[in-house]
Amino acid sequence: MTPAQFEKQIEPRWQKLEKLLAEAEQNHPTAAVDELPATFRQVCHDLSVAQHRMSPQRLTQKLNALALRTYRVLERHSAGGWEAFVRLFFVEFPQAVRAEWRLFWWCTALFYLPAVLIAAITPAHPEWAMALLGPEGMVQIESMYGESSKPSDFVRESYGSGFAAFCFYIWNNVSINFKTFAGGILGGVGSLFVLMFNSLFLGAVFGYVHYSGNPMTLYAWVVAHGAPEITGMIIAAMAGMRVGWSVLRPGRMERREALVLAGRKALPLLIGAAILTSLAAVLEGFWSPLNLPLSIKFASGGMCWVLLTVFLLFSGRRSGNAA
Amino acid sequence: MAAARADTLQSVELADGVEIQLRVAGVAVRSMAYLIDLLIRIAIYIGASILMFWLLADVLGPQVTLGLFLLFIFFMEWFYNVIFEAGAKGATPGQRVFKLRVMSMTGGPVTLAQAVMRNFLRVVDFMPFFYLTGIVCMLFTRRFQRLGDLVANTVVTYVELPHTVVAQVPIQAERLAPSQVLTREEQAALLQFIERAPLWADERRLELASLAQPLTKAPGPEGLRRLCGMALWLQEPEEKRATPPPLKGAAYSRS
C-alpha cells in the first residue's frame, strides 16, 4: 500500500472522530458520543501505523493532534464536589497521618522539645528568650500578657473585629502552612526551618510570660485554638518532610517517580493541615476572645485537644485504605 | 522517533499504548505568560482595593472590609493559577495568550490535585528571586519542568503542534535504492528532508545534502539529486510497473 492509499483509507475514520469530538466538546452530548472510545482507538491505531511507516509529517501531526484532543475529552474528570472534599478531610487525611506515624512523631518531637526546653530554662536564664523575642517582641508580650493583665483582656467589642482577625489568621497562618510545605522540597530543610523557628519562638513566648507576666492570660487565650493550629503546623511540616525525604532517599525508585509519589501522599496532609489551621482561625477569631469563666475556657480547650486526638486516631478507620 | 532530538517535541505514551507527541514550551514563552498573569493580578488587586475601600467600607465598616481584602489576597495568591489550570482550558489567561496549556505527563488534563501541587511549590521555584530555582531546574530537565512540575507530574505545552507547510513542487529526481541499509532514524531524516526541501533555498539544500555525502558518494548537485532519489525510493520502494527480477539462484537451493 502506498502512503497515498493509506491516507485515503484512514481518512473516513479521523473525519468521523472529528465529528464525534465536535459533539462531545459541547455540553449536550448526543448518543453518537458512545462511539467515541472505539473510534478513538481506531485512530490511535492508525496513528501508530502512520508513525511506524514514517508517513508524511502532515498526516502524523494531524492524527497526533486529534488523538490528544480526544484523550483530553475522554480523560476529563469532575473534581467530585463536596462529597470528595468531605471524604478527603474525614477519611483520607487522618489515614495519611496514621500511615506516616513515624514522621508525625518526629515532627511533633521536633516542635515540642525545643519549645519546652527554651520555656523551661527561661525562668533561670531569661536572656535566651529575650534574644529570640527582641525588644519589640518583649514590649508586645508585656502589653498583652503582662503581670497586670487578666484573662478577659482580649475581649473584642464588636463582631467586625473578630471577623477581621479571622481573615487575618487565614491569610497569615494558612499561607505559612503552604510555605512550610513548599520548603520541604529542599530536602526537608525548609519545613524543618519553619518548624524549629516557630517552636523556638513559641517556647520563648511561653517562657517569657512565665518569667515576667501572667501565664493564665496566655493559657486561657490559646488553649482552644492551639490544638488545631499547632497540630496543623506540624502536619504541614510533615507533608513537606515527606516530599523532602523522597528527594534525599528515593529508595528503589527513580528520584523523579519518588517525588511524584511523595507529592501524592503529601496532598491529603497538606489539605488537612490547611483545614485544621482554618478551624484554628475560626476559634481564634470568634471563640478565644469571648469573655467566659476560666473553667469553661479550659474545659472547652481540653475538649478541643481530646477531639483532635480522637479524630486523628480513629477517623476513617473503617473506610478501608485510601490508597 | 528521530524528530524528538531535533526539536522540543516530546513523546508521551497514552494508556492505549499509543505514542503521541507534545511540543513542550520553554523558559522564554512561559516567562512572558507569567508576566501577563502578573499584570492581570495587579490590575485585579487595584480594582478590588478601589471597590472595597471606597464603596464597601462604608457599608460593612473598615474592619470587615480589611478582613475581606486579606481573604481575597489569600485566595488570589494561592489559587489564581490553580483554578485556571484545573479548569476546562487548562491554562491561565496569560498562558492562553501564548497558546500554552498545562498538561499531565500522561497526556490528559491536569487534575485539581496536580494544579494545587505545582502551584504551591512556586514559593520554592521563586527562590532566591525571579524564579531562579525554577528556571535553572527547567534548563536541566528534558521537558522544561520546574520543581512544581516535577512533583505534580505536569508539563507546559503548546496547544497545537506547529503546522508543517507542504510545498507542492514536483521533485526532479530518479528513484534510487540506497547503497546501504538505513536505520529507522536515517530513513525518517531522509523523508523529512524531501518533505521540507522544496521550502529551502538552493544553497541550503546543497549544504544539507553535502552532510549526507558518505551515503550519496557525490558532492554538490549530483549528491542532492541522489539523496532526493533515495528519499523517493523510501516513499515508494517498489515501482508499480516494474516486474520483479526472476530469482535465479532460488531454484537450485530449493531442490
Side-chain angles (χ1 to χ4, degrees), chain B residues 109-130:
Chain B
V110 171
T111 63
L112 189 59
Q114 282 176 312
V116 165
M117 245 333 142
R118 80 184 290 279
N119 285 304
F120 281 18
L121 284 166
R122 270 176 197 280
V123 189
V124 183
D125 277 311
F126 188 82
M127 291 200 297
F129 46 75
F130 301 138

Side-chain angles (χ1 to χ4, degrees), chain A residues 127-141 201 204 208:
Chain A
E127 62 275 8
W128 288 77
M130 287 174 179
L132 274 165
L133 297 172
E136 283 136 41
M138 284 157 64
V139 170
Q140 202 187 351
I141 289 170
F201 196 83
Y208 188 71

Side-chain angles (χ1 to χ4, degrees), chain A residues 145-174:
Chain A
Y145 317 105
E147 295 228 1
S148 53
S149 69
K150 299 186 297 297
S152 56
D153 278 356
F154 284 103
V155 181
R156 297 201 189 96
E157 322 77 55
S158 67
Y159 175 83
S161 60
F163 180 77
F166 156 74
C167 295
F168 173 80
Y169 297 133
I170 292 270
W171 171 67
N172 191 54
N173 299 359
V174 181

Side-chain angles (χ1 to χ4, degrees), chain B residues 15-127:
Chain B
D16 299 54
V18 178
E19 252 193 13
I20 53 165
Q21 296 190 317
L22 310 171
R23 187 167 164 230
V24 180
V27 177
V29 71
R30 283 174 69 176
S31 308
M32 291 198 286
Y34 175 81
L35 283 180
I36 289 192
D37 281 325
L38 187 66
L39 290 178
I40 292 175
R41 281 207 302 269
I42 291 173
I44 293 178
Y45 280 137
I46 293 173
S49 33
I50 290 172
L51 186 76
M52 284 184 165
F53 289 108
W54 282 7
L55 300 175
L56 271 184
D58 294 337
V59 188
L60 298 172
Q63 279 182 319
V64 174
T65 313
L66 182 68
L68 282 176
F69 192 65
L70 286 177
L71 267 193
F72 179 70
I73 290 179
F74 171 76
F75 281 105
M76 284 291 286
E77 261 180 72
W78 293 101
F79 293 99
Y80 172 88
N81 284 59
V82 173
I83 286 167
F84 281 116
E85 286 173 12
K89 299 272 181 192
T92 63
Q95 286 164 337
R96 278 163 71 176
V97 169
F98 293 99
K99 298 211 164 54
L100 300 180
R101 180 161 64 193
V102 185
M103 291 183 100
S104 171
M105 280 279 294
T106 58
V110 171
T111 63
L112 189 59
Q114 282 176 312
V116 165
M117 245 333 142
R118 80 184 290 279
N119 285 304
F120 281 18
L121 284 166
R122 270 176 197 280
V123 189
V124 183
D125 277 311
F126 188 82
M127 291 200 297

Side-chain angles (χ1 to χ4, degrees), chain A residues 1-3 37 40-41 44-45 47-48 51-58 60-61 63-65 67-68 71-73 75-77 79 157-164 166-168 170-172 174-176 178-179 181-186 243 256 259-264 266-267 270-271, chain B residues 1 3 9 14-16 18-22 63-64 67-68 70-71 73-74 77-79 88-90 101-103 105-113 116-117 120-121 123-124 127 141-143 145 147 150-153 159 161-164 166 184 187-188 191-192 195-196 235-236 240:
Chain A
M1 195 190 318
T2 66
F40 169 61
R41 273 193 290 277
C44 280
H45 178 75
L47 171 62
S48 34
Q51 278 172 349
H52 182 76
R53 291 187 184 164
M54 292 179 293
S55 299
Q57 273 207 316
R58 158 181 55 80
T60 47
Q61 285 188 357
L63 294 176
N64 190 71
L68 193 57
Y71 192 65
R72 286 182 66 86
V73 171
E75 289 290 295
R76 196 166 47 188
H77 28 225
E157 322 77 55
S158 67
Y159 175 83
S161 60
F163 180 77
F166 156 74
C167 295
F168 173 80
I170 292 270
W171 171 67
N172 191 54
V174 181
S175 291
I176 288 177
F178 291 161
K179 285 175 190 162
F181 161 73
I185 199 173
L186 307 169
V243 173
R256 177 190 288 262
L259 208 53
V260 172
L261 192 66
R264 262 180 225 154
L267 191 75
L270 178 65
I271 304 295
Chain B
M1 293 292 287
L9 293 182
L14 299 187
D16 299 54
V18 178
E19 252 193 13
I20 53 165
Q21 296 190 317
L22 310 171
Q63 279 182 319
V64 174
L68 282 176
L70 286 177
L71 267 193
I73 290 179
F74 171 76
E77 261 180 72
W78 293 101
F79 293 99
K89 299 272 181 192
R101 180 161 64 193
V102 185
M103 291 183 100
M105 280 279 294
T106 58
V110 171
T111 63
L112 189 59
V116 165
M117 245 333 142
F120 281 18
L121 284 166
V123 189
V124 183
M127 291 200 297
T141 46
R142 218 154 41 106
R143 299 187 172 92
Q145 290 172 298
L147 289 172
L150 286 175
V151 178
N153 213 19
V159 175
L161 290 176
H163 284 293
T164 37
V166 181
R184 284 191 62 80
Q187 292 180 26
L191 288 172
Q192 285 190 19
E195 268 181 42
R196 296 187 195 172
Q235 279 184 344
E236 254 167 287
K240 278 157 251 162

Side-chain angles (χ1 to χ4, degrees), chain B residues 109 113 149 170 180 213 242 255:
Chain B
D149 285 319
Q180 58 195 36
Q213 213 165 321
S255 64

